[in-house]
């Protein structure tokens, strides 16, 4: 009985946040859809400006749960620019929370609405979200030989033509680093050895295609590239071996006390233009990440573990930036659900929004 109560209490830690974040999705899509129709006759940049504001509202609500609700400490190393920039954000990838980390940095620069992702193709089928991410400027890509360079270039060129502010998030590894799937790590290391590249321990060998297309297409549009390295505290077992990074559910259950984020801002002129040379440059950046993570996880001096070298800042996110969005979206959703007609519209949005979204992404990238 006591164990059952404990498990129930534990599960409720993520049930409420998940219910609110998923529950407000139809409300958000309705608001966005109404603006999409109204702005059809306006220049694209007007649509983008309001869309970015709407996205800021929703993601601020998400950050209320992932930061304010969990109480996680965000430790930032390096220099996070305070001014708004058009950037590509390159990061190591180990769990779904990595998406949220990009939001954590963006909101501190007041550019949360500018965040757009390069995502694996299968995610476009997510109900409501998959379609919307594409509409917001996200790019879905397939791996390896199926990668469609032309589609990605055309999508990015359309964003530039509309003067869309760009905070493009790319995870060059292509898949998550998972210590529980050693074959993926071993294959990645074998590939690096075969290609004459340094073997990496705590990250996978990066793939250059998406990064090259993004940099090459937007080289006259971008201000910089942010090279971001993320480590989640509490991901080492009692034997000192690295564990799986927290899932969104585990993160919301407050299983991660601190997130460490190292940022290196890189000027475009420092990045080679040709893909062959950019590939080596990208691998060298991941070598730097690997050294940072070796220091974080494996430093011989225990006092140097669980932190990156250099100065750091404990950055706390103010409720003023997140709570109003929660109250606004939560209030709109609650008011819709209070009436029978509102409840019918809510259900239809889930059903028809998902069907229309799946149809849309199946015929248009």
């Amino acid at each position: 009985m006591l164990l059952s109560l404990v498990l129930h209490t534990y599960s409720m830690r993520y049930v409420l946040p998940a219910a609110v974040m998923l529950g407000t999705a139809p409300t958000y899509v309705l608001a966005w859809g109404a603006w999409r129709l109204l702005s059809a006759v306006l220049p694209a940049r007007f649509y983008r400006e309001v869309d970015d504001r709407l996205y800021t509202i929703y993601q601020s609500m998400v950050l209320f749960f992932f930061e304010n609700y969990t109480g996680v400490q965000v430790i930032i190393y390096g220099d996070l620019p305070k001014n708004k920039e058009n950037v590509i954000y390159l990061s190591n990838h180990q769990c779904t929370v990595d998406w949220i980390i990009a939001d954590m940095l963006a909101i501190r620069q007041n550019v949360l609405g500018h965040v757009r992702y390069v995502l694996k193709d299968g995610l476009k089928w997510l109900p409501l979200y998959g379609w919307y991410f594409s509409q917001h400027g996200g790019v879905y890509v397939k791996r390896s030989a199926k990668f469609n360079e032309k589609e990605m270039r055309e999508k990015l060129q359309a964003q530039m033509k509309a003067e869309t502010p760009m905070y493009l998030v790319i995870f060059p590894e292509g898949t998550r680093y998972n210590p529980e799937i050693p074959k993926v790590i071993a294959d990645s290391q074998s590939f690096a050895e075969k290609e004459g590249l340094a073997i990496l321990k705590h990250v996978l060998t990066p793939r250059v295609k998406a990064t090259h297309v993004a940099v090459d297409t937007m080289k006259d549009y971008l201000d910089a590239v942010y090279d971001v390295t993320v480590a989640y505290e509490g991901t080492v077992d009692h034997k000192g071996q690295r564990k799986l990074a927290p899932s969104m559910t585990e993160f919301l259950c407050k299983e991660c006390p601190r997130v460490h984020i190292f940022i290196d801002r890189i000027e475009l002129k420092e990045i080679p233009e040709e893909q062959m040379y950019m590939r080596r440059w990208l691998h060298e950046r991941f070598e730097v990440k690997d050294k940072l993570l070796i220091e974080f996880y494996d430093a011989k001096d225990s006092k140097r573990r669980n932190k990156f070298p250099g100065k750091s800042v404990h950055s706390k996110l103010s409720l003023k930036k997140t709570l109003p969005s929660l109250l606004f979206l939560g209030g709109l959703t609650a008011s819709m659900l209070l009436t029978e007609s509102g409840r019918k519209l809510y259900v239809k949005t889930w059903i028809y929004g998902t069907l229309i979204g799946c149809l849309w992404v199946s015929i248009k990238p």
Side-chain angles (χ1 to χ4, degrees):
M1 179 97 178
L2 180 59
L3 178 60
S4 177
L5 180 63
V6 170
L7 292 173
H8 178 70
T9 303
Y10 176 85
S11 67
M12 286 302 294
R13 288 182 176 184
Y14 71 85
V15 169
L16 176 61
V20 174
M21 287 186 283
L22 290 172
T24 54
T27 310
Y28 179 83
V29 168
L30 281 171
W32 167 78
W35 169 243
R36 192 75 171 106
L37 291 173
L38 288 171
S39 64
V41 296
L42 299 175
R45 64 185 182 86
F46 288 109
Y47 161 70
R48 286 297 176 199
E49 286 177 8
V50 176
D51 175 54
D52 284 357
R53 290 182 183 275
L54 290 172
Y55 189 75
T56 298
I57 292 172
Y58 186 83
Q59 292 297 351
S60 294
M61 179 196 69
V62 170
L63 285 174
F64 169 82
F65 289 111
F66 277 91
E67 281 208 57
N68 303 118
Y69 171 79
T70 63
V72 65
Q73 292 183 27
V74 177
I75 315 297
I76 297 177
Y77 304 76
D79 296 318
L80 180 64
K82 294 181 180 180
N83 56 307
K84 298 179 181 181
E85 298 185 294
N86 287 322
V87 301
I88 291 174
Y89 170 113
L90 301 176
S91 176
N92 57 315
H93 192 25
Q94 50 204 311
C95 61
T96 51
V97 182
D98 294 336
W99 292 14
I100 307 298
I101 301 299
D103 289 343
M104 289 180 177
L105 293 182
I107 198 171
R108 287 164 169 80
Q109 292 179 272
N110 294 315
V111 294
L112 185 54
H114 302 174
V115 175
R116 311 174 208 283
Y117 297 95
V118 174
L119 302 160
K120 62 182 179 182
D121 192 64
L123 293 173
K124 68 184 181 184
W125 304 111
L126 286 172
L128 299 186
Y129 293 95
W131 178 32
Y132 175 71
F133 281 145
S134 175
Q135 295 297 299
H136 184 64
V139 182
Y140 290 108
V141 296
K142 295 180 180 179
R143 297 174 183 171
S144 304
K146 295 182 179 180
F147 179 82
N148 192 321
E149 179 179 326
K150 182 182 177 183
E151 282 185 4
M152 184 173 179
R153 283 189 186 275
E154 289 176 350
K155 188 72 179 279
L156 294 175
Q157 286 166 352
Q159 302 301 323
M160 290 189 293
K161 185 177 180 180
E163 300 180 6
T164 304
M166 190 59 64
Y167 200 100
L168 187 66
V169 178
I170 301 177
F171 300 111
E173 290 160 285
T175 191
R176 301 174 208 161
Y177 178 98
N178 186 344
E180 296 180 1
I181 310 179
K183 185 180 184 303
V184 172
I185 299 172
D187 288 347
S188 174
Q189 293 173 339
S190 296
F191 177 79
E193 185 176 18
K194 179 182 176 182
E195 296 295 316
L197 301 169
I199 295 175
L200 307 172
K201 180 179 180 182
H202 286 293
V203 290
L204 301 177
T205 303
R207 307 177 187 197
V208 75
K209 287 183 179 179
T211 303
H212 177 259
V213 171
V215 172
D216 186 58
T217 304
M218 300 190 293
K219 58 189 174 186
D220 297 323
Y221 192 74
L222 297 170
D223 296 302
V225 168
Y226 293 171
D227 185 6
V228 179
T229 306
V230 180
Y232 299 92
E233 202 164 318
T235 50
V236 175
D237 63 21
H238 66 282
K239 296 180 180 178
Q241 298 298 310
R242 186 172 171 185
K243 297 191 301 182
L244 185 64
S247 64
M248 286 189 177
T249 298
E250 291 166 339
F251 198 94
L252 289 170
C253 286
K254 308 181 181 183
E255 291 192 10
C256 179
R258 281 171 288 277
V259 177
H260 298 258
I261 310 170
F262 194 103
I263 306 145
D264 191 0
R265 183 185 183 278
I266 302 169
E267 296 282 350
L268 266 294
K269 62 184 180 182
E270 299 177 27
I271 304 174
E273 292 188 9
E274 292 186 31
Q275 182 170 322
M276 179 178 66
Y277 296 114
M278 188 183 292
R279 178 191 182 199
R280 185 162 291 277
W281 170 86
L282 184 61
H283 195 86
E284 288 171 355
R285 295 310 309 177
F286 269 72
E287 287 181 57
V288 173
K289 291 180 185 296
D290 202 43
K291 289 176 182 176
L292 287 170
L293 292 168
I294 287 172
E295 181 78 5
F296 187 91
Y297 291 112
D298 306 327
K300 293 182 180 179
D301 184 352
S302 59
K303 294 180 180 179
R304 289 165 54 191
R305 290 181 209 144
N306 290 318
K307 60 182 179 181
F308 291 131
K311 294 181 179 180
S312 64
V313 176
H314 174 204
S315 179
K316 189 172 183 179
L317 184 61
S318 171
L319 277 171
K320 293 180 181 178
K321 288 196 170 186
T322 58
L323 186 57
S325 296
L326 171 65
L327 297 176
F328 176 71
L329 282 174
L332 278 181
T333 303
S335 62
M336 182 186 297
L337 295 175
L338 285 174
T339 65
E340 184 177 353
S341 58
R343 288 191 291 272
K344 288 181 179 178
L345 178 60
Y346 181 88
V347 173
K348 287 179 179 178
T349 302
W350 264 118
I351 296 172
Y352 295 117
T354 298
L355 292 175
I356 292 170
C358 289
L359 178 62
W360 182 271
V361 297
S362 68
I363 62 177
K364 188 172 181 178

